[in-house]
Amino acid sequence: MKLNIEKIKQFVGKSVDFESTEHVKSLKHLDEEVFFADNVCVSGNVKNIGTGLFEVTGKIKTAVYYSCYRCLEKTRVSFNIDFSIKFSDLSFNIESKNEDVIRFSGDEIEILPQIINEIILNWPAQVLCKPDCKGLCQKCGANLNITECDCKRIQIDPRFAVLKKLKDVE
Ligand SMILES: [Zn+2]
Ligand SMILES: [Zn+2]
């Protein structure tokens, strides 16, 4: 996913719009390979902000398959991210101590690694397949969205509790 900046390279304050779509197979999140459910679409503009700096601003739209926090079923997770990243032209040779600046050289800026990074930074805290997902039975591991196992019924059935008491008395 390369942005051509030839037209604005010599002109501070100028910007150029772009729209780019790329098929990406997967990304790494917490050591897990996560597969994309959709292309990675990025649109926005790149602006020459002077002293060899170029600011890329725009929107990322994509989706991945990720495990539901409760039942572990793979679930489609959509991303709609606003971002802004600064790139620094190596030929300007400025001593930049700013960690947020990414170096590049030539007339093209490869933005895909930073786009993937933005997706990871915007990861949802909890992925749920549906808001009322019942999750897995902690005893037998059954998916409670699909089936009702016996473990839970035995635990909460009050009649069973009474019977147990009677037995204890005997
Ligand atoms: Zn679930
Ligand atoms: Zn169970």
Side-chain angles (χ1 to χ4, degrees):
M1 191 175 278
K2 287 180 176 142
L3 306 184
N4 193 307
I5 54 156
E6 223 180 324
K7 284 183 187 153
I8 58 164
K9 213 170 174 186
Q10 310 303 331
F11 308 103
V12 175
K14 285 254 182 213
S15 68
V16 58
D17 292 341
F18 70 92
E19 208 174 318
S20 185
T21 298
E22 191 155 324
H23 172 76
V24 185
K25 192 180 153 228
S26 63
L27 60 76
K28 268 241 147 68
H29 179 259
L30 301 176
D31 275 341
E32 187 190 336
E33 186 173 19
V34 177
F35 291 93
F36 278 90
D38 220 328
N39 286 329
V40 177
C41 303
V42 185
S43 60
N45 68 79
V46 50
K47 187 178 187 184
N48 182 339
I49 55 171
T51 62
L53 288 175
F54 294 83
E55 187 170 35
V56 181
T57 311
K59 255 190 195 308
I60 305 165
K61 275 190 174 186
T62 190
V64 300
Y65 292 115
Y66 199 67
S67 307
C68 168
Y69 176 76
R70 289 187 198 143
C71 74
L72 308 178
E73 285 291 315
K74 285 280 185 273
T75 302
R76 189 189 158 97
V77 183
S78 298
F79 289 87
N80 246 311
I81 305 164
D82 291 311
F83 75 96
S84 174
I85 309 165
K86 282 179 190 141
F87 293 85
S88 167
D89 188 344
L90 272 173
S91 65
F92 269 76
N93 224 354
I94 1 166
E95 273 294 314
S96 176
K97 290 197 176 91
N98 191 343
E99 298 280 327
D100 295 337
V101 172
I102 317 296
R103 310 299 174 90
F104 77 97
S105 61
D107 291 337
E108 285 184 329
I109 306 177
E110 173 56 80
I111 62 168
L112 190 59
Q114 273 65 49
I115 295 302
I116 299 293
N117 195 40
E118 287 293 321
I119 295 169
I120 291 167
L121 287 174
N122 284 277
W123 212 261
Q126 262 184 22
V127 169
L128 289 175
C129 60
K130 50 186 176 183
D132 60 344
C133 170
K134 292 177 187 148
L136 301 176
C137 169
Q138 297 204 335
K139 273 201 165 161
C140 72
N143 185 338
L144 301 175
N145 296 311
I146 300 167
T147 170
E148 211 170 285
C149 63
D150 290 332
C151 323
K152 205 176 167 189
R153 225 186 355 253
I154 292 166
Q155 262 178 354
I156 59 164
D157 191 338
R159 284 167 304 169
F160 186 83
V162 171
L163 279 174
K164 194 175 177 292
K165 244 185 197 162
L166 289 174
K167 249 191 175 175
D168 286 348
V169 171
E170 281 170 24

